[in-house]
């Protein structure tokens, strides 16, 4: 999002209805900035799916499904910008917006504009099934007869579904500390907190 804003292709004040015309009008505009700091009021898709009986550990879903689910909600948790309630849906929607504006998938866009310039050559977004991931550490799940691979059929991303390693994450940490000159603006952007209508500073920045 930051790099698209820098390129004047996106604004923090853009309403998400500009990108999703079928998104409900809740009486207050949900903006890019609300998605970034989890103040949109949009419900967490995983909680909503769980309550509907959807087994999100075994059943397939992707970002298109998350968008459809969000658009079916008749209400939101609170007025946009009013308070912070963490919801992964915000970042899945941001991923869709980045892809729509850039005409690239999120993995390709991030690699070209953020990851490769930072030297994070081994970091990626998982946007497809079936591709081997070299040196991947896989989680296990305990069952009656022992342990099995903890795999998932989902292909939602934006709020996760990334892979990296310690070397790359150390470069990311260096950037966040403001020690990577060409990305100082990104570090400041990610650490910026909004002021809520109550006058209080939000307790969540932008992905941090």
């Amino acid at each position: 999002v930051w790099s698209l804003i820098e390129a004047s292709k996106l604004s923090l004040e853009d309403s998400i209805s500009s990108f999703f015309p079928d998104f409900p009008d809740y009486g207050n505009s949900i903006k890019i900035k609300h998605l970034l700091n989890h103040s949109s009021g949009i419900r967490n898709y995983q909680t909503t799916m769980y309550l509907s009986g959807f087994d999100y550990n075994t059943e397939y879903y992707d970002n298109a499904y998350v968008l459809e689910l969000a658009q079916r909600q008749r209400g939101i948790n609170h007025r946009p910008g009013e308070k912070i309630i963490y919801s992964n849906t915000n970042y899945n929607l941001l991923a869709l917006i980045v892809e729509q504006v850039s005409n690239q998938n999120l993995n390709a866009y991030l690699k070209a504009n953020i990851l490769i310039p930072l030297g994070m050559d081994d970091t990626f977004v998982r946007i497809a099934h079936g591709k081997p991931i070299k040196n991947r550490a896989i989680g296990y799940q305990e069952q009656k007869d022992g342990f099995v691979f903890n795999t998932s059929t989902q292909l939602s991303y934006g709020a996760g579904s990334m892979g990296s390693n310690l070397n790359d994450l150390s470069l990311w940490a260096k950037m966040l500390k403001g020690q990577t000159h060409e990305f100082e603006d990104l570090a400041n952007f990610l650490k910026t907190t909004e002021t809520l209508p109550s006058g209080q500073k939000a307790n969540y920045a932008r992905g941090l």
Side-chain angles (χ1 to χ4, degrees):
V1 169
W2 166 79
S3 58
L4 289 172
I5 291 173
E6 289 288 293
S8 299
K9 295 182 179 179
L10 203 61
S11 166
L12 289 172
E13 299 297 326
D14 285 344
S15 170
I16 67 170
S17 62
S18 302
F19 310 99
F20 311 123
D22 294 331
F23 215 89
D25 180 2
Y26 299 113
N28 296 89
S29 177
I30 299 173
K31 300 177 179 180
I32 296 291
K33 65 181 182 182
H34 298 138
L35 298 180
L36 280 167
N37 73 350
H38 293 282
S39 65
S40 69
I42 298 172
R43 294 163 181 156
N44 192 343
Y45 72 87
Q46 288 156 317
T47 303
T48 307
M49 288 161 62
Y50 176 78
L51 290 172
S52 70
F54 189 99
D55 185 353
Y56 59 83
N57 287 314
T58 59
E59 296 184 63
Y60 177 80
Y61 64 95
D62 55 19
N63 279 356
Y65 181 90
V66 172
L67 173 61
E68 180 189 349
L69 186 66
Q71 291 181 152
R72 290 207 308 265
Q73 299 303 299
R74 295 180 181 176
I76 50 181
N77 288 324
H78 54 79
R79 286 178 298 171
E82 183 180 34
K83 62 177 74 172
I84 307 297
I85 297 180
Y86 187 92
S87 170
N88 281 329
T89 311
N90 292 309
Y91 276 73
N92 289 78
L93 297 181
L94 283 170
L96 288 169
I97 290 170
V98 168
E99 292 182 334
Q100 189 180 134
V101 174
S102 70
N103 291 314
Q104 291 180 283
N105 67 58
L106 186 62
N107 184 54
Y109 186 80
L110 281 181
K111 278 186 173 293
N113 294 278
I114 305 289
L115 300 175
I116 300 302
L118 274 170
M120 298 174 65
D121 299 342
D122 294 317
T123 302
F124 61 91
V125 180
R126 186 173 68 88
I127 60 166
H129 281 308
K131 211 172 181 181
I133 301 172
K134 186 179 179 182
N135 297 325
R136 181 188 178 198
I138 302 174
Y140 289 79
Q141 190 176 62
E142 186 175 13
Q143 294 188 348
K144 289 182 181 179
D145 300 327
F147 288 86
V148 296
F149 286 128
N150 187 13
T151 59
S152 173
T153 59
Q154 62 89 10
L155 264 181
S156 68
Y157 52 86
S161 292
M162 291 190 72
S164 191
N165 61 27
L166 193 56
N167 288 331
D168 277 15
L169 291 176
S170 68
L171 294 172
W172 185 256
K174 182 180 176 183
M175 180 277 294
L176 285 176
K177 289 181 179 180
Q179 297 172 354
T180 308
H181 177 69
E182 59 270 36
F183 283 96
E184 284 182 35
D185 287 345
L186 173 58
N188 292 331
F189 177 86
L190 292 173
K191 290 183 279 190
T192 298
T193 53
E194 306 282 349
T195 300
L196 303 176
S198 64
Q200 291 183 315
K201 276 281 191 181
N203 58 9
Y204 198 93
R206 295 167 177 165
L208 299 173

